[in-house]
DNA sequence: CCTACATCTTAACTTATGCC
DNA sequence: GGCATAAGTTAAGATGTAGG
């Protein structure tokens, strides 16, 4: 089949070649033999009248034209996928799709665990691949490698639709054994204490709350950095350390470990976790259904206000 | 400088498909 | 049915790198 004299199958090969920068690995990905892929590259070279990939030592390096083609080719294939995969009717009860969602483990804990529980009832054959946000997350979304991304404002990927999913505030979490029942955290005590930080976004050495705290001039001493939120309780229990965490997560942990949630003595902004999807998958009924499930689950999250600011002991009230 | 290894290219042959 | 063409496979050759 030809489209303007181009065999469209060659675009699939080109996409794999540009992604892998290797004939052998592209062949593997395409379930073709390596020679067949090499021949396809030959035909692509003839069509574009360009070497596309040139051998530099052991690797293949894309020419400037090939560099220019990477994104448009990927986009075109994604659009084709959307058109061909879309079904006018989407039936969750029989749908067998697998969705890949990237988010922090905080979002998995407070939201996605419940989303997956609900999905198991509504769409028993649906599968979920939950992954951690990483420095490659923008490429993952761009290339269609993931269906959804849930991220705070500063990690939202430009060029794709996004909407706020739920809000949260920051609270502090301390070991119950190290505080008396009337304990209130003062600002001075906060800055004097040792803190547990959470490295956020895979190797970026940025702690989540530090992003929010950056406007404060005072420095905290983070004597432990955890690789994810889930490990924070292990690093708090039995120590005088403090962790500054999203309130919903802090409450979740306080319900499972001997930990207490206390109001944060410094003003940290309220923040939102945002839902993102690929611009070409806007109309994919399965993804629309999943987005709706996420919205509904987020809407059912317990209200923040009442418990986040525990009733102040007002005299005479 | 040679060898081992990985990877790309080429040649020869096979298989599938479309057309008369 | 028979041919032409396209596209795949296997096998062998060519090329480049790393390491002794």
């Amino acid at each position: 089949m030809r489209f303007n004299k181009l065999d469209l199958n060659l675009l699939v090969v080109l996409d794999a070649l540009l992604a892998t920068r290797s004939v052998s690995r592209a062949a593997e990905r395409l379930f073709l033999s390596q020679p067949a892929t090499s021949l396809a590259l030959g035909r692509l070279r003839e069509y574009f009248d360009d070497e596309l990939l040139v051998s530099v030592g052991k690797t293949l390096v894309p020419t400037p034209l090939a560099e220019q083609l990477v994104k448009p080719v990927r986009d075109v294939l994604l659009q084709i996928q959307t058109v061909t995969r879309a079904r006018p009717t989407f039936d969750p009860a029989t749908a067998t799709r697998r969705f890949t969602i990237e988010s922090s483990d905080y979002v998995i804990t407070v939201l996605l665990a419940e989303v997956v529980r609900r999905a198991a009832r509504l769409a028993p054959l649906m599968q979920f691949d939950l992954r951690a946000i990483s420095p490659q997350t923008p490429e993952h979304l761009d290339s269609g490698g993931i269906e959804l991304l849930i991220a705070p404002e500063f990690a939202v990927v430009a060029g794709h639709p996004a909407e706020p999913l739920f809000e949260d505030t920051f609270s502090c979490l301390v070991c119950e054994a190290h505080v008396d029942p009337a304990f209130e955290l003062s600002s001075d005590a906060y800055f004097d204490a040792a803190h547990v930080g959470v490295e956020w976004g895979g190797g970026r050495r940025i702690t989540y709350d530090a992003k929010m705290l950056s406007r404060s001039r005072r420095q905290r001493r983070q004597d432990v950095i955890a690789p994810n939120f889930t490990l924070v309780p292990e690093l708090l229990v039995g120590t005088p350390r403090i962790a500054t965490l999203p309130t919903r997560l802090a409450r979740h942990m306080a319900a499972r470990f001997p930990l207490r949630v206390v109001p944060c003595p410094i003003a940290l902004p309220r923040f939102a976790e945002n839902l993102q999807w690929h611009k070409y998958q806007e109309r994919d009924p399965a993804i629309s259904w999943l987005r709706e499930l996420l919205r509904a689950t987020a809407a059912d999250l317990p209200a923040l206000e009442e418990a986040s600011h525990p009733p102040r002991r007002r005299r005479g009230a």
Side-chain angles (χ1 to χ4, degrees):
Chain A
M1 196 245 315
R2 304 272 165 171
F3 185 78
N4 287 349
K5 297 187 179 168
L6 173 67
D7 174 356
L8 292 183
N9 284 325
L10 288 176
L11 284 187
V12 181
V13 178
L14 179 58
D15 178 58
L17 283 166
L18 293 175
T20 59
R21 299 187 173 192
S22 151
V23 174
S24 300
R25 272 172 289 146
E28 217 167 283
R29 182 187 279 212
L30 295 164
F31 300 106
L32 285 182
S33 69
Q34 182 273 320
T37 309
S38 173
L39 272 154
L41 175 55
R43 276 176 264 133
L44 281 161
R45 284 171 170 159
E46 196 179 335
Y47 181 85
F48 285 105
D49 193 22
D50 187 277
E51 271 300 289
L52 297 175
L53 292 162
V54 283
S55 288
V56 174
K58 214 171 180 175
T59 56
L60 290 178
V61 175
T63 62
L65 175 66
E67 290 277 18
Q68 281 178 18
L69 288 169
V70 173
K71 199 160 158 32
V73 167
R74 191 86 268 267
D75 281 356
V76 150
L77 293 178
L78 266 175
Q79 289 191 64
I80 291 171
Q81 185 185 63
T82 306
V83 168
T84 54
R85 194 162 61 180
R87 297 286 176 272
T89 56
F90 169 74
D91 179 12
T94 57
T96 56
R97 274 183 67 172
R98 183 181 195 89
F99 292 106
T100 303
I101 306 176
E102 281 193 10
S103 73
S104 63
D105 60 328
Y106 147 54
V107 171
I108 294 178
T109 304
V110 304
L111 180 73
L112 293 180
E114 175 61 17
V115 168
V116 171
R117 267 193 290 276
R118 293 188 185 191
R121 276 201 315 275
L122 302 166
L125 302 177
M126 198 170 271
Q127 293 180 308
F128 291 93
D129 203 346
L130 305 182
R131 296 192 190 162
I133 288 179
S134 73
Q136 288 77 43
T137 290
E139 290 111 89
H140 292 166
L141 186 65
D142 268 335
S143 67
I146 61 175
E147 272 81 22
L148 295 174
L149 167 66
I150 304 173
E153 198 67 48
F154 61 81
V156 159
V157 180
H160 296 284
E163 67 182 32
L165 193 55
F166 67 91
E167 293 195 331
D168 211 338
T169 58
F170 280 100
S171 291
C172 292
L173 201 55
V174 294
C175 177
E176 210 157 41
H178 280 75
V179 294
D180 60 53
F183 176 77
E184 279 188 39
L185 188 57
S186 71
S187 178
D188 284 339
Y190 181 84
F191 284 104
D192 284 343
H195 291 254
V196 177
V198 175
E199 180 187 276
W200 191 87
R204 278 191 278 194
R205 308 304 304 182
I206 297 167
T207 58
Y208 193 98
D209 54 319
K211 270 278 191 195
M212 306 293 181
L213 197 66
S214 54
R215 58 190 77 174
S216 164
R217 260 174 267 141
R218 293 182 71 175
Q219 292 292 312
R220 289 170 307 169
R221 187 166 58 86
Q222 291 189 322
D223 68 340
V224 190
I225 304 282
N228 54 48
F229 289 102
T230 313
L231 287 170
V232 169
E234 303 291 349
L235 297 166
L236 281 179
V237 172
T239 80
R241 293 188 191 112
I242 296 174
T244 308
L245 297 176
T247 302
R248 297 179 189 282
L249 181 64
R251 285 186 205 153
H252 179 94
M253 290 170 168
R256 288 162 177 76
F257 290 86
L259 297 169
R260 174 140 16 120
V261 181
V262 296
C264 198
I266 51 166
L268 288 173
R270 211 180 160 85
F271 69 97
E273 286 282 341
N274 300 272
L275 177 59
Q276 271 209 291
W277 56 94
H278 196 289
K279 57 184 170 185
Y280 293 143
Q281 294 178 334
E282 182 89 50
R283 293 179 191 287
D284 183 318
I287 296 176
S288 296
W289 179 86
L290 183 57
R291 289 205 304 267
E292 193 47 48
L293 179 64
L294 280 158
R295 283 186 206 109
T297 311
D300 289 346
L301 286 177
L304 262 183
E305 313 307 341
E306 26 189 335
S308 130
H309 304 293
R312 292 194 185 276
R313 287 163 293 150
R314 261 183 296 165
R315 295 194 188 283

